[in-house]
Amino acid sequence: MEILRSLGIRGGIYRLIRYRMGAGRPGVQRRDSMSEGLQTCYRYLNETGRSFAAIIQTLDGELRDAVCICYVIIRALDTVEDDMTISLETKIPVLRNFHTFLYDPEWRFTESKDKCKRLLEDFPTISREFRNLATVYQEVIADTCRKIGAGLAKFLEKKIESLEDWDEYGHYASGLVEIVFSHLFSASKLEDTIVSQDTRLSSSMGLLLQKTNIIRDYLEDQLVGREFWPKEVWSKYAMKLSDFSDPENIVPAAQCLNELITNALQHVPGSFTFLSQHKNQSVFNFFAVPFVMAIATLGACYNNQQVFKGVVKIRRDQVMTLMKDATNLQATKAIVLQYVEEIHHKIPPSDPSSCETQQVILSIRKLCVSSESSASRHLYSGIYISRAMLLAAVGCLYLYAAWKV
């Protein structure tokens, strides 16, 4: 593996090879040194985190365990909010007091019917591993759970009416998650303190991810009675948000969809600035991969009627390519540029938000174009180096064959 690094094959490709070979997976590499409870937390991470789990498991040192436990805890908190079978009378106090349960060895919740209910039923295992973390990690995670729980409880009693509400909800649901991760990275000393100081930027990244999920999950949320699209936008196109699932309303539904995607794309510049602050390779990948996956998802959803009929997902091979390529800021900008250009080509001329979408894309293009040129120079340079290495190798084989003769 040192040969790969010395040849400049860093970040994505190297880590992808590690995934294939099992490195970075606690069950393969660190099982003997892990407690049974910590192994359980990683199992829950792999069951609920999907591709995100692989990114967490490439983090360096003790930070990996702290982020794993943090993710599983927030996932359990999120499960309480998501489960529509739990009454508000039960749900709201649980959300508001969730941070205190981290210090209660006996607390568990057995009333959930959600697919992630095991996280709540086995919460004593998770909370025990939380209490085994360094105090600095515990304080950051507990304080964030307090804020998230209070925010989510607020929006159980309040509908998302305006775009300001949409931003506020997104801050509680995902912005604070990006902030807590930034604080953990700073606390670990893998990143400078500046990473955790400008919470506006980390929240911007979180808003982009959360809005992407909300946009993509329209039908899933409708089927269980959840509504997260802001009324300020959808009311311009329908009497009720559920009207978009009617095939007769597919044109206004797509127009509303496009306006929301345009709003989400406005968080891209702040996300670029946020990514530029991270110097540690594993931490950069941690944030960059979900970011480009969100952009790819927005590209797939834009003006796509399938959002109202089923699930729109990016292909698995596409996910692997994004994980492989998003290893530095220049490459990440090149990826984003590719998808926003795809959106640009799909803008319907008659779309009410077409002008705004074009303006947002133009601003993103300006941020990316110089980086794209730089990335292209690096790419061509790499091609020439590879050709030179190939010629050198062929030459060596020729000389060896001649010597054998």
Side-chain angles (χ1 to χ4, degrees):
M1 291 305 171
E2 290 301 323
I3 295 176
L4 291 178
R5 294 201 219 191
S6 68
L7 293 179
I9 306 178
R10 301 174 52 214
I13 296 177
Y14 173 69
R15 292 180 187 282
L16 191 58
I17 293 173
R18 290 180 69 200
Y19 297 154
R20 298 295 190 187
M21 297 182 67
R25 298 179 192 166
V28 175
Q29 190 180 40
R30 304 169 55 229
R31 186 175 298 276
D32 292 342
S33 62
M34 292 170 62
S35 68
E36 183 177 347
L38 189 55
Q39 291 182 41
T40 300
C41 288
Y42 275 103
R43 186 173 71 251
Y44 290 150
L45 170 67
N46 286 314
E47 291 173 356
T48 62
R50 293 174 291 186
S51 58
F52 199 59
I55 304 168
I56 290 176
Q57 290 173 108
T58 62
L59 291 171
D60 298 327
E62 66 178 12
L63 180 62
R64 183 187 307 128
D65 295 341
V67 174
C68 168
I69 293 168
C70 178
Y71 180 90
V72 173
I73 288 171
I74 293 176
R75 185 72 175 183
L77 174 57
D78 188 55
T79 298
V80 176
E81 185 215 12
D82 281 346
D83 192 339
M84 300 302 290
T85 68
I86 305 173
S87 68
L88 291 184
E89 291 76 15
T90 299
K91 184 181 294 190
I92 290 175
V94 170
L95 291 174
R96 287 178 174 158
N97 296 305
F98 196 88
H99 64 288
T100 67
F101 303 146
L102 295 170
Y103 297 97
D104 183 348
E106 304 299 325
W107 186 86
R108 57 167 45 90
F109 189 81
T110 58
E111 299 177 35
S112 175
K113 294 180 174 60
D114 190 89
K115 60 184 177 182
C116 297
K117 64 180 182 178
R118 290 179 60 193
L119 301 179
L120 296 167
E121 294 170 346
D122 193 23
F123 201 75
T125 298
I126 298 170
S127 66
R128 181 173 65 250
E129 294 306 319
F130 162 81
R131 294 188 297 275
N132 288 336
L133 293 174
T135 301
V136 64
Y137 295 142
Q138 290 186 40
E139 291 174 348
V140 170
I141 295 171
D143 185 57
T144 301
C145 285
R146 177 183 62 81
K147 294 175 181 176
I148 293 176
L152 296 182
K154 174 181 177 178
F155 277 94
L156 286 174
E157 301 175 302
K158 168 188 170 76
K159 291 185 178 180
I160 299 175
E161 300 281 348
S162 65
L163 285 170
E164 288 76 15
D165 291 339
W166 205 35
D167 282 352
E168 184 181 2
Y169 174 77
H171 172 71
Y172 291 132
S174 187
L176 284 170
V177 177
E178 300 303 307
I179 291 172
V180 70
F181 287 146
S182 295
H183 280 294
L184 291 175
F185 296 143
S186 293
S188 71
K189 307 301 182 183
L190 287 179
E191 293 287 358
D192 295 333
T193 55
I194 189 176
V195 169
S196 61
Q197 289 174 349
D198 195 341
T199 56
R200 177 182 55 84
L201 292 176
S202 48
S203 183
S204 183
M205 171 77 80
L207 284 173
L208 174 67
L209 302 183
Q210 183 65 19
K211 289 180 178 181
T212 299
N213 290 337
I214 288 173
I215 290 167
R216 179 199 61 198
D217 294 341
Y218 165 84
L219 186 59
E220 178 183 332
D221 289 335
Q222 281 291 305
L223 292 174
V224 297
R226 295 190 296 253
E227 292 190 352
F228 297 113
W229 284 27
K231 186 176 181 180
E232 178 182 337
V233 177
W234 65 254
S235 62
K236 294 188 291 186
Y237 303 95
M239 296 297 294
K240 303 188 301 295
L241 182 56
S242 58
D243 290 346
F244 290 153
S245 58
D246 186 339
E248 294 184 359
N249 298 321
I250 199 63
V251 173
Q255 291 174 344
C256 180
L257 170 69
N258 295 343
E259 183 172 343
L260 291 180
I261 290 176
T262 300
N263 178 278
L265 289 173
Q266 293 174 1
H267 298 292
V268 169
S271 299
F272 281 152
T273 303
F274 176 68
L275 286 173
S276 69
Q277 296 177 341
H278 294 87
K279 309 305 179 186
N280 179 278
Q281 184 68 58
S282 66
V283 173
F284 180 90
N285 291 356
F286 177 88
F287 287 114
V289 171
F291 171 59
V292 294
M293 288 173 64
I295 298 298
T297 300
L298 291 176
C301 288
Y302 187 83
N303 207 45
N304 187 349
Q305 299 177 3
Q306 186 61 29
V307 171
F308 307 99
K309 302 175 183 178
V311 180
V312 175
K313 289 185 178 181
I314 55 178
R315 302 184 312 275
R316 182 172 178 80
D317 62 321
Q318 195 175 358
V319 171
M320 297 305 293
T321 299
L322 293 173
M323 292 178 69
K324 175 177 67 66
D325 292 344
T327 56
N328 59 69
L329 188 61
Q330 289 74 27
T332 301
K333 287 185 175 181
I335 293 170
V336 170
L337 181 61
Q338 171 191 339
Y339 287 109
V340 297
E341 292 295 354
E342 289 182 7
I343 291 175
H344 182 261
H345 290 303
K346 293 193 292 184
I347 299 176
S350 60
D351 193 274
S353 58
S354 60
C355 291
E356 185 179 1
T357 307
Q358 291 172 6
Q359 290 174 357
V360 171
I361 289 176
L362 178 61
S363 65
I364 295 173
R365 184 185 293 149
K366 288 179 178 178
L367 290 173
C368 295
V369 67
S370 59
S371 299
E372 184 189 40
S373 299
S374 174
S376 296
R377 287 195 296 270
H378 286 300
L379 174 63
Y380 293 137
S381 175
I383 291 173
Y384 292 139
I385 291 173
S386 298
R387 287 176 177 173
M389 292 174 62
L390 179 61
L391 289 172
V394 171
C396 289
L397 289 173
Y398 176 79
L399 292 173
Y400 177 76
W403 175 74
K404 289 292 288 183
V405 173

